[in-house]
Amino acid sequence: MKINIGLIGILVIIIFTSLSFFYLNTKTEKLLEELNIIKGYVIDIDDDIHEIEKNLDQ
């Protein structure tokens, strides 16, 4: 009986570990998508600044 309780405990630990891994993986993917969006905005702003500088030089 003690062996079965120990095995059930190990199984529960494995299940929680795998669930937390998948949860963190989805969070990481969302953060990477948002970071790429912000990166795109920064690139657009940088291009706009360079165009404004060119227009001011002329």
Side-chain angles (χ1 to χ4, degrees):
M1 195 64 175
K2 289 181 182 179
I3 294 174
N4 290 337
I5 293 173
L7 291 176
I8 290 171
I10 292 172
L11 180 65
V12 168
I13 290 171
I14 291 172
I15 289 171
F16 280 132
T17 304
S18 63
L19 289 176
S20 66
F21 174 75
F22 289 121
Y23 175 74
L24 288 175
N25 193 19
T26 56
K27 283 289 191 182
T28 303
E29 288 176 4
K30 283 184 178 181
L31 287 173
L32 285 175
E33 288 175 5
E34 290 178 6
L35 184 61
N36 284 332
I37 292 170
I38 293 171
K39 185 179 175 182
Y41 288 148
V42 169
I43 290 172
D44 288 341
I45 292 171
D46 186 48
D47 290 340
D48 291 342
I49 289 172
H50 287 295
E51 286 182 23
I52 291 170
E53 287 176 347
K54 285 180 185 177
N55 290 338
L56 289 177
D57 289 340
Q58 294 175 355

